[in-house]
Amino acid sequence: MSKRIPKISIHPSLWIFALLSFLSGQFSSFFLLFFYICLHEIGHVLAAWLLGWKIEKVALLPFGGQMQARGILDREILEEAVVTLSGPFVNVLIIAILSTFFQDWSGFQESIKMNLQLLVFNLLPIWPLDGGRLVYLFAASFLPFKKANLWVCRISLFGIALLFLMILQQSFQLQWVLLLGYTLFCCLDHLKNLPVIEQQFFLERWKSDQGRGKMIPEIVKQELTVKDLVKKLKKGKRQTFILTWNGNIRKLNDTEIAMIYFRLPPS
């Protein structure tokens, strides 16, 4: 388990929300929201630490945070789902504690509303929110790595467009426009960097523990190149391909395919 304390930073968007809260006379509410955002992110960090993740940085955002960790692209899906759900679980736990012991507190109603908003917003199926990550993990359970990422980005862009239309039809709220604008930027940036992220995933598979997980055999009927096979690799799953190789039937596991891929001359 990595015990190194991660670097903590505050995203510029959070400062914008702080300024808007100050100008609108709701600075005390902002501090209360910031407190709950920190608790939400602590849930993610504690779960990741318990599972031995190497956390490098935590950036605090108006709706939660972004945790950067090394070597998680090929983590098992269930393990990553636990870390993803741990943040929303903290909000549910806070609501339960407040409803049980603090109903007479003057800030009770506001705190319940804040935690509900954090919970609902974070569970929207939009990247990089917790809900978007859950959609990605579901897609990654049966799709290759790149296809799963492409699908979550498509679903996210559709969801962002739908929410923008809903905002335009209702009363205009700047904070929602800023939040959705940030998720749109993150989604487009993820698409832009996906080729590099995919290469990092291949590298993690090459360097992964060959004894981890149950090997899943897959029969490849037609003769494929190594570059074709490496794109069939799935997140967190050990795979063996049974294929025709130079006229002979051969078995290659995922680690071997990734190794051959990185030793090929550049095309």
Side-chain angles (χ1 to χ4, degrees):
M1 183 184 298
S2 176
K3 297 183 181 297
R4 188 172 69 88
I5 297 176
K7 179 182 177 182
I8 299 175
S9 64
I10 297 177
H11 194 271
S13 60
L14 192 59
W15 292 118
I16 294 174
F17 271 77
L19 178 61
L20 292 174
S21 299
F22 177 76
L23 294 175
S24 61
Q26 297 178 331
F27 208 48
S28 59
S29 296
F30 169 79
F31 271 111
L32 190 60
L33 177 63
F34 181 73
F35 173 68
Y36 292 131
I37 287 172
C38 290
L39 292 180
H40 174 100
E41 199 58 27
I42 285 171
H44 288 305
V45 172
L46 283 177
W49 261 341
L50 290 173
L51 291 169
W53 288 24
K54 297 178 181 178
I55 307 168
E56 295 183 333
K57 182 181 178 181
V58 176
L60 297 175
L61 296 154
F63 54 81
Q66 278 190 329
M67 182 176 62
Q68 296 180 9
R70 254 187 309 158
I72 63 168
L73 293 177
D74 197 28
R75 288 276 185 173
E76 292 184 6
I77 291 174
L78 181 59
E79 181 180 309
E80 190 166 336
V82 169
V83 175
T84 301
L85 287 169
S86 59
F89 173 76
V90 168
N91 295 118
V92 173
L93 188 62
I94 291 171
I95 291 170
I97 293 173
L98 290 173
S99 300
T100 305
F101 301 106
F102 295 94
Q103 291 190 24
D104 294 331
W105 175 40
S106 59
F108 171 75
Q109 294 292 342
E110 185 178 20
S111 293
I112 292 293
K113 182 180 178 181
M114 285 180 177
N115 279 281
L116 282 173
Q117 288 177 336
L118 283 172
L119 178 63
V120 172
F121 185 77
N122 272 282
L123 290 178
L124 290 175
I126 295 174
W127 185 269
L129 304 177
D130 295 332
R133 294 183 183 276
L134 291 174
V135 170
Y136 159 66
L137 293 174
F138 173 73
S141 66
F142 58 90
L143 290 176
F145 180 81
K146 186 175 182 178
K147 286 186 178 180
N149 278 274
L150 287 173
W151 268 107
V152 72
C153 287
R154 290 166 184 162
I155 293 171
S156 298
L157 291 173
F158 175 78
I160 291 169
L162 188 62
L163 286 172
F164 265 123
L165 289 175
M166 291 173 62
I167 290 172
L168 291 176
Q169 291 180 353
Q170 304 295 325
S171 58
F172 181 83
Q173 294 183 3
L174 180 60
Q175 63 268 32
W176 277 102
V177 173
L178 291 173
L179 286 173
L180 290 176
Y182 176 76
T183 58
L184 177 62
F185 169 79
C186 288
C187 192
L188 294 176
D189 187 63
H190 188 70
L191 279 172
K192 177 185 174 182
N193 293 314
L194 188 52
V196 176
I197 296 170
E198 185 184 33
Q199 294 293 312
Q200 292 174 339
F201 166 70
F202 295 155
L203 186 60
E204 284 187 24
R205 177 59 57 91
W206 179 19
K207 301 296 183 181
S208 65
D209 181 5
Q210 296 190 29
R212 177 171 60 84
K214 181 181 178 181
M215 197 72 74
I216 301 173
E218 181 176 344
I219 298 175
V220 182
K221 294 181 179 180
Q222 72 270 36
E223 189 167 348
L224 298 176
T225 66
V226 170
K227 290 183 179 180
D228 293 327
L229 289 172
V230 79
K231 291 184 180 295
K232 294 174 72 68
L233 298 181
K234 298 176 182 177
K235 173 183 173 63
K237 294 185 178 181
R238 298 303 317 279
Q239 296 164 264
T240 296
F241 296 97
I242 304 171
L243 66 153
T244 303
W245 190 278
N246 294 328
N248 299 313
I249 296 177
R250 184 177 176 184
K251 288 183 179 181
L252 281 176
N253 67 43
D254 47 12
T255 308
E256 291 171 331
I257 291 169
M259 179 183 65
I260 296 169
Y261 173 78
F262 281 107
R263 289 181 177 177
L264 288 174
S267 55

